[in-house]
Amino acid sequence: MKTSFVSKILLIFAMAFSMNSNAQFFKKLAKKAEKAAERTVERRVENETSKKTDQALDSILEPGSGGKQAPKAPENTGNGDQGNSGNSNQGSSSPETSGTSGPKTIQVYSKFDYVPGDKLMFYDDFAFDFVGDFPSKWNTNGGGEVVTLGDSPEKWLELISGYALYYIPDVPQLPEEYTIEFDLMAVGIDNKTSSNAILRVDLSNDDKFKDGSNFVHAQISACQYAPIGITMSNRINNKREIYSVVKADLRDEFQGSPHISIAVNKQRFRLWVNEEKHIDIPRIVPTGAALTTLKFHKNGFRDGIERLFISNLKVAEGGVDLRRKLISEGKISTNGILFDVGSANIQPQSMGIIRQISQVLQQETSMNLKIVGHTDADGSNESNLSLSQKRAEAVKNALVSIYGIQPDRLISEGKGESEPLADNDTTDGKAQNRRVEFIKQ
């Protein structure tokens, strides 16, 4: 009878253990195997717990979806202006790259602590730009054009590699405290994508196309064969103070459409990719030197193969603690709670604000709140009124189900487009009008 493969393996192990010279080696091997088995069990328990948590949160934040989204392969659809995308509060859920395999679960982290500024300085989703044109609110010393991807009407600016810089002339000076948000889309990246393939975000005192004597640079890597991380550097009065690489594995994020959030609070610089904070440096931003310009620079991507797109850029003054304002003034209004286009599905990057509201309610146990939703003027009065009510109710449900706030302490109301703060004929105005108010009762 032939000896089975397993029997042979056991025989080899038995012979090896009988040899004193190898006994210690196999003891160590057995110990490693035991630890590996423990880690496997831990990971499985962790994954199951994570799945259950995600399912519970997704049922609130994406009703009826089960937390699943089918991926789409982006394509340049060519010509034709697609018009405005509606009451998006910063755009729709973006299409995913062709490199994504299988459905993608939206993970929502209830400890996400990013809070966007509440005074809008700049917003652009290229809604009023024609496909094929360079966007009217931007400037560059290179090239680029507005495109659409796949069958989505959402517009993106395609950045080119080399020495091209892109900046926003309509933001004349950055304040001491502000936030920056934008979406990225990478197409054509694979395991050959270079470690030099980066998007650099610059905060500079030069208002044209140079680094300036004072700046902060954040280099976000799209490399796929290794976790390159994020490189942070600065210059203060022409002297470099910081240059360091912070560990971060962003390979999976770049297979989708990563949302980048940045908060500057005086000298402090923080950066999130999706809902995970990767950078928190307390003293990197130059003080006493006005950083006037936000710039973007793409480099290291293979020409004609790897393409990078940016959209939904928002710059807002503030981003400080909303809790104190709600307690002292009894009312706050924010356009930082974002929803998918034409729906009440809360986007994950909104959780920082909702978390802060929950903290106020947990501390001020006698406080009750009215949550009021507002939309821009796209669509009919009736549909916007209904949408604003659903969005206010979705925020209420998140406070109740995720943070344990008693539902009888909250009431929700929708006012649609009836109380605009700004002109609905501009992109900036629409972004200001799409907001949520919290009013002490």
Side-chain angles (χ1 to χ4, degrees):
M1 184 176 68
K2 292 183 179 181
T3 305
S4 69
F5 175 76
V6 174
S7 299
K8 289 180 180 179
I9 294 297
L10 291 175
L11 180 62
I12 292 171
F13 270 79
M15 292 173 64
F17 272 109
S18 68
M19 301 177 187
N20 292 333
S21 60
N22 289 332
Q24 290 301 318
F25 168 78
F26 281 100
K27 283 181 181 179
K28 290 180 180 179
L29 188 63
K31 199 69 177 176
K32 287 184 177 180
E34 183 181 343
K35 289 183 178 179
E38 289 175 358
R39 287 195 301 271
T40 300
V41 172
E42 288 173 357
R43 281 197 300 269
R44 287 181 179 177
V45 172
E46 207 171 84
N47 288 340
E48 287 302 314
T49 303
S50 177
K51 287 178 184 177
K52 296 297 183 184
T53 303
D54 286 342
Q55 288 171 4
L57 294 176
D58 288 344
S59 68
I60 300 161
L61 303 179
E62 290 195 284
S65 70
K68 302 293 183 182
Q69 287 183 328
K72 292 184 179 181
E75 298 175 5
N76 189 335
T77 60
N79 300 321
D81 182 30
Q82 300 296 328
N84 196 358
S85 58
N87 276 298
S88 66
N89 239 38
Q90 196 176 339
S92 63
S93 294
S94 305
E96 300 186 17
T97 67
S98 55
T100 305
S101 58
K104 179 182 178 183
T105 300
I106 295 181
Q107 292 181 316
V108 180
Y109 298 93
S110 60
K111 293 184 179 180
F112 182 47
D113 59 352
Y114 171 77
V115 175
D118 53 3
K119 184 180 179 182
L120 188 67
M121 299 174 63
F122 179 86
Y123 178 77
D124 200 5
D125 60 0
F126 314 119
F128 295 99
D129 292 301
F130 288 96
V131 170
D133 285 355
F134 188 83
S136 58
K137 294 183 180 181
W138 296 55
N139 197 10
T140 184
N141 60 350
E145 63 177 345
V146 174
V147 302
T148 56
L149 302 175
D151 58 1
S152 170
E154 189 173 19
K155 295 178 181 178
W156 300 78
L157 169 60
E158 180 169 10
L159 309 179
I160 65 170
S161 290
Y163 295 100
L165 279 167
Y166 302 83
Y167 78 93
I168 317 300
D170 292 341
V171 181
Q173 183 165 322
L174 297 168
E176 279 193 329
E177 297 188 295
Y178 58 96
T179 60
I180 301 164
E181 296 181 66
F182 55 91
D183 294 320
L184 290 177
M185 176 74 74
V187 175
I189 60 172
D190 54 29
N191 58 10
K192 295 180 181 178
T193 299
S194 169
S195 59
N196 295 321
I198 58 98
L199 173 71
R200 195 181 75 196
V201 183
D202 302 358
L203 309 175
S204 169
N205 70 338
D206 177 81
D207 62 358
K208 292 294 188 297
F209 301 107
K210 295 181 180 179
D211 284 343
S213 57
N214 291 273
F215 66 69
V216 176
H217 289 173
Q219 293 187 179
I220 305 169
S221 174
C223 180
Q224 291 294 295
Y225 64 76
I228 300 302
I230 300 172
T231 301
M232 296 298 304
S233 61
N234 74 343
R235 185 183 292 167
I236 300 176
N237 296 325
N238 277 319
K239 181 182 178 181
R240 173 168 284 168
E241 300 284 345
I242 292 176
Y243 185 92
S244 63
V245 179
V246 180
K247 290 183 179 180
D249 189 347
L250 305 178
R251 289 174 290 182
D252 288 345
E253 283 77 0
F254 269 94
Q255 289 297 328
S257 177
H259 183 80
I260 310 299
S261 307
I262 295 170
V264 175
N265 299 101
K266 298 181 179 178
Q267 290 181 276
R268 186 180 184 184
F269 183 99
R270 291 174 292 164
L271 185 149
W272 293 256
V273 180
N274 292 335
E275 288 73 55
E276 185 172 353
K277 180 165 60 180
H278 292 282
I279 304 295
D280 192 346
I281 303 177
R283 296 177 182 269
I284 189 173
V285 180
T287 58
L291 299 184
T292 57
T293 312
L294 166 65
K295 305 176 186 178
F296 299 93
H297 171 66
K298 169 196 171 188
N299 197 25
F301 288 76
R302 291 173 289 176
D303 289 340
I305 300 175
E306 299 163 341
R307 303 166 68 187
L308 187 67
F309 310 85
I310 187 171
S311 189
N312 299 315
L313 174 65
K314 175 184 175 183
V315 184
E317 185 174 358
V320 293
D321 200 331
L322 295 176
R323 294 168 292 190
R324 291 185 177 88
K325 186 175 181 181
L326 179 57
I327 291 172
S328 62
E329 299 180 14
K331 178 180 178 179
I332 59 171
S333 176
T334 176
N335 52 31
I337 297 181
L338 312 177
F339 301 87
D340 290 346
V341 174
S343 84
N345 296 338
I346 301 174
Q347 294 186 2
Q349 58 265 35
S350 308
M351 294 308 296
I353 294 176
I354 297 175
R355 181 183 180 222
Q356 285 202 357
I357 300 300
S358 74
Q359 290 171 333
V360 173
L361 291 169
Q362 288 163 356
Q363 176 180 305
E364 305 292 320
T365 54
S366 62
M367 180 186 289
N368 297 330
L369 284 181
K370 178 191 286 188
I371 305 167
V372 183
H374 300 266
T375 69
D376 61 33
D378 287 350
S380 68
N381 293 339
E382 293 78 12
S383 63
N384 285 333
L385 185 62
S386 173
L387 179 60
S388 65
Q389 174 63 53
K390 291 176 182 177
R391 288 178 170 178
E393 188 67 22
V395 174
K396 175 184 174 180
N397 290 341
L399 286 166
V400 171
S401 301
I402 297 175
Y403 296 105
I405 304 301
Q406 291 298 314
D408 58 2
R409 299 177 62 191
L410 306 168
I411 58 175
S412 58
E413 180 183 352
K415 293 194 175 181
E417 61 187 78
S418 64
E419 297 182 2
L421 294 178
D423 187 353
N424 272 305
D425 292 331
T426 67
T427 304
D428 290 353
K430 288 181 180 181
Q432 291 184 61
N433 293 334
R434 296 188 297 262
R435 66 194 191 276
V436 177
E437 288 182 293
F438 298 89
I439 305 169
K440 182 179 177 180
Q441 297 296 291

